[in-house]
Amino acid sequence: MSSQDVLQDASTLASYNVLLQVMFRALTFVMNAFTLRFVSKELIGVVNVRLMLLYSTLVFLSREAFRRACLSGGSGPGRSWRQTLNLLWLTLPLGVLWGSLLVCVWLWLLEAPDPQAVPHYGPAVGVFALASLVELLGEPLWVLAQAHLLVRLKLGAESLALGAKCLFTVGLVVLAPQGGLYIFSAAQLVYTGCLVLCYLVYFVRFVGSEEANGKGFPIKTVGELLPRSAPGEPAVDWALARLTWSFFKQSFLKQLLTEGERYVMTFLSVLSFGDQGVYDIVNNLGSMVARFLFLPIEESFYVFFSKVLRRGGDARSQKQEDVSVAAEVLESLLKLVVVVGMVITVFGYAYSHLALDLYGGTLLSAGAGPVLLRVYSGYVLLLAVNGITECFVFAAMSQEELDRYNGVMLALSVSFLLLSYLLTGWLGAVGFILANCLNMALRILHSLLYIQRYFQASPWGPLRGLRPSPALLLALALSAVVTALSESMFCCSSGWPLRLVHVAVGAVCLSGVLLTVLLTETRLVAFVRTQLRPGTRGKRT
């Protein structure tokens, strides 16, 4: 498969992933806004911070390294999918080991919430751990689908699973609000069960079909999806297993960095459960665009870079046509996330108070919520750039370079946790976001230095994507001043007519910024039109 074909498939995957995440966030946005009217912020804090941290930690540590390693080898005919699937099935026993350890920690080492305010904590911990194990059952199927770019499967499966979770949660919150943690625990189990069932049903119907044979799908019978051995061959590809171990050491550190503030809140009790609930809601609102736009693009183009580039070489040692396409794509992706991130930073400052007031009423807008969301709007820009730069770096690094990078991640993890603890004691919840900003800036610096060395002495300079046009910078600066003045004059305690004036001012400023993008960032516009729209044919940027 040529680099242009891989780019087309990766672009299609990114497009559908973005649509999927938009739908995810829209549904959860509405569901959370609705449930805030029926549950306490303490309950939200326990569910969204304590229990979801258990779930994300167990799942991430059990599968992330396997995902990255098994997707690095592409899906060509020379690959042994029997050995790859055998390796992927190890995620389940690993999940059982992690689950046993983490459940003990969550039940007996961490401070339990007040049973009068948040009852049923113990059973909820067990159900969230079980939901994690259920999701790991579908990991081999997920990697198969991702490696062969079965984008509609992921879209359909996660749509159905999320829809079932939302309906289940809202229904029980209305009908039996006294259920508390039982409701959210059962809803998480419904989500993972539906997700795995959708993948299973799809592959049972797909494997061995004419469509699968026409696409050259390597699995011919359903039985081949299960662990199996072959005479005279090792059960797993040991080179892939060693790469998995490298990614595992890195994923452990990456999880600390990704969920660091939740670990600090959970293990050091620097915030009450109520304050944790408010912080988590603001964090989810602030990261909405990062999750539904940036993360799907990062996941999809990691597959692209992994297939197009050979690990361990620089730009001169690779096939030049492939490097050219990779450099152009990287430049366009950097320009895209920088532009979107700067727009969020500028408009997030002036519209944070209004957004929180509409979303959760005075529960969110009366306290520190608006300040948290304003600071988080600036953090989104760093989050976006880091996602794309690390996407490229992790796809291009050799195993030895990945091992060395683990040391960098360890130092960043320790410094981040220390900064989080110190800054939170000084500034409250804002300290978490500032510590994240510093950590993300250091990770970006490391990635930029690697990319600079990678393309050194080559004709390509993808880091030009970090520089927006001067006209766009001017439009953003004017918008920042105008919207800030608008907020001070019209928002948010003077009634709806003046709020609508504030919204209209923002709409006019945003229109001016978008028009400037269309006129000055023509290469970016062409990239979005040709690569990130569902159903379009991938073209060279």
Side-chain angles (χ1 to χ4, degrees):
M1 183 181 289
S2 70
S3 58
Q4 292 294 334
D5 291 332
V6 175
L7 174 57
Q8 176 192 345
D9 290 340
S11 301
T12 303
L13 178 61
S15 302
Y16 280 107
N17 279 342
V18 168
L19 291 177
L20 176 65
Q21 291 297 326
V22 169
M23 184 197 63
F24 271 19
R25 298 307 156 190
L27 279 174
T28 53
F29 184 87
V30 174
M31 184 186 73
N32 288 337
F34 181 81
T35 54
L36 278 174
R37 273 68 179 174
F38 292 87
V39 300
S40 65
K41 60 183 181 180
E42 286 77 17
L43 179 62
I44 294 293
V46 172
V47 172
N48 289 356
V49 177
R50 176 72 64 87
L51 295 177
M52 286 305 296
L53 181 63
L54 169 64
Y55 172 81
S56 67
T57 301
L58 202 166
V59 169
F60 191 92
L61 294 180
S62 301
R63 76 183 183 191
E64 180 67 14
F66 292 88
R67 280 189 171 185
R68 287 199 172 271
C70 293
L71 287 174
S72 295
S75 56
R79 179 171 193 167
S80 171
W81 275 102
R82 179 189 62 80
Q83 293 177 323
T84 301
L85 290 174
N86 286 345
L87 185 65
L88 285 167
W89 277 111
L90 293 177
T91 57
L92 186 59
L94 183 61
V96 172
L97 291 176
W98 277 117
S100 302
L101 174 63
L102 293 173
V103 165
C104 292
V105 172
W106 256 246
L107 287 178
W108 296 312
L109 294 184
L110 297 180
E111 178 187 2
D114 181 1
Q116 299 299 321
V118 186
H120 319 307
Y121 173 70
V125 169
V127 175
F128 267 81
L130 178 61
S132 304
L133 297 180
V134 170
E135 184 164 346
L136 292 177
L137 284 171
E139 188 60 20
L141 305 181
W142 185 93
V143 171
L144 266 176
Q146 194 80 353
H148 293 86
L149 301 171
L150 302 176
V151 293
R152 290 179 178 83
L153 169 58
K154 182 178 181 180
L155 178 65
E158 298 196 13
S159 301
L160 289 173
L162 183 68
K165 177 183 177 180
C166 289
L167 290 175
F168 187 88
T169 303
V170 170
L172 286 186
V173 163
V174 173
L175 297 176
Q178 69 278 5
L181 290 179
Y182 281 138
I183 296 174
F184 294 93
S185 303
Q188 191 65 24
L189 191 58
V190 167
Y191 170 77
T192 57
C194 287
L195 187 64
V196 173
L197 183 61
C198 288
Y199 274 91
L200 181 61
V201 170
Y202 179 89
F203 276 103
V204 167
R205 295 171 60 89
F206 178 72
V207 170
S209 66
E210 291 184 5
E211 180 186 0
N213 293 333
K215 292 181 176 180
F217 193 67
I219 307 299
K220 303 304 179 183
T221 65
V222 175
E224 293 180 20
L225 295 171
L226 300 175
R228 68 194 196 284
S229 60
E233 290 184 10
V236 299
D237 182 342
W238 289 108
L240 199 60
R242 288 190 293 271
L243 182 60
T244 302
W245 174 241
S246 296
F247 276 122
F248 177 78
K249 292 181 287 186
Q250 187 184 100
S251 67
F252 187 83
L253 299 172
K254 186 177 180 180
Q255 176 68 2
L256 280 178
L257 292 172
T258 303
E259 300 281 9
E261 69 271 15
R262 285 178 169 81
Y263 287 115
V264 172
M265 283 188 279
T266 297
F267 287 90
L268 300 180
S269 301
V270 293
L271 297 176
S272 67
F273 283 113
D275 291 338
Q276 289 179 29
V278 173
Y279 174 83
D280 184 75
I281 293 169
V282 171
N283 179 64
N284 286 334
L285 283 174
S287 64
M288 186 176 295
V289 175
R291 293 183 182 185
F292 78 65
L293 178 62
F294 301 143
L295 183 59
I297 291 175
E298 176 189 346
E299 289 179 346
S300 302
F301 282 93
Y302 172 77
V303 176
F304 164 72
F305 290 129
S306 296
K307 290 185 176 183
V308 168
L309 301 176
R310 177 173 51 82
R311 286 188 176 277
D314 59 13
R316 291 170 295 178
S317 64
Q318 308 270 356
K319 185 178 178 182
Q320 295 304 290
E321 179 186 357
D322 292 346
V323 176
S324 174
V325 174
E328 292 176 6
V329 169
L330 178 59
E331 180 180 348
S332 296
L333 290 175
L334 287 174
K335 181 63 68 69
L336 174 64
V337 298
V338 165
V339 170
V340 175
M342 293 182 71
V343 169
I344 293 171
T345 300
V346 167
F347 289 90
Y349 181 87
Y351 290 88
S352 292
H353 190 285
L354 179 60
L356 290 177
D357 195 57
L358 292 175
Y359 187 65
T362 56
L363 174 70
L364 299 180
S365 63
V371 175
L372 286 174
L373 191 54
R374 287 184 180 120
V375 177
Y376 202 101
S377 298
Y379 171 58
V380 167
L381 175 59
L382 297 175
L383 196 66
V385 174
N386 178 72
I388 297 302
T389 53
E390 284 194 347
C391 161
F392 178 87
V393 168
F394 289 161
M397 277 183 171
S398 66
Q399 183 176 330
E400 292 75 19
E401 288 172 325
L402 286 170
D403 289 336
R404 288 197 298 271
Y405 186 59
N406 291 333
V408 176
M409 295 285 278
L410 177 61
L412 289 174
S413 300
V414 173
S415 62
F416 169 69
L417 294 175
L418 180 61
L419 272 174
S420 295
Y421 181 71
L422 295 176
L423 291 178
T424 304
W426 180 31
L427 300 170
V430 174
F432 281 124
I433 305 176
L434 294 179
N436 268 313
C437 288
L438 180 58
N439 164 66
M440 205 61 65
L442 293 175
R443 288 169 66 178
I444 290 171
L445 178 61
H446 178 275
S447 297
L448 293 182
L449 291 174
Y450 180 90
I451 294 171
Q452 181 67 32
R453 289 195 305 271
Y454 188 91
F455 289 99
Q456 193 173 15
S458 75
W460 302 287
L463 295 184
R464 289 191 298 264
L466 295 172
R467 300 195 297 265
S469 66
L472 178 58
L473 292 176
L474 178 60
L476 287 168
L478 290 175
S479 296
V481 173
V482 172
T483 54
L485 291 174
S486 173
E487 183 185 32
S488 65
M489 296 172 60
F490 304 123
C491 192
C492 288
S493 58
S494 303
W496 271 104
L498 291 182
R499 287 186 177 192
L500 293 176
V501 172
H502 181 47
V503 172
V505 170
V508 172
C509 290
L510 181 59
S511 299
V513 169
L514 295 178
L515 180 61
T516 305
V517 171
L518 291 174
L519 295 176
T520 63
E521 301 290 355
T522 53
R523 292 187 63 188
L524 172 62
V525 173
F527 176 79
V528 172
R529 284 176 175 171
T530 58
Q531 304 298 345
L532 295 181
R533 290 173 57 192
T536 56
R537 175 83 180 171
K539 299 177 182 178
R540 190 165 178 165
T541 53

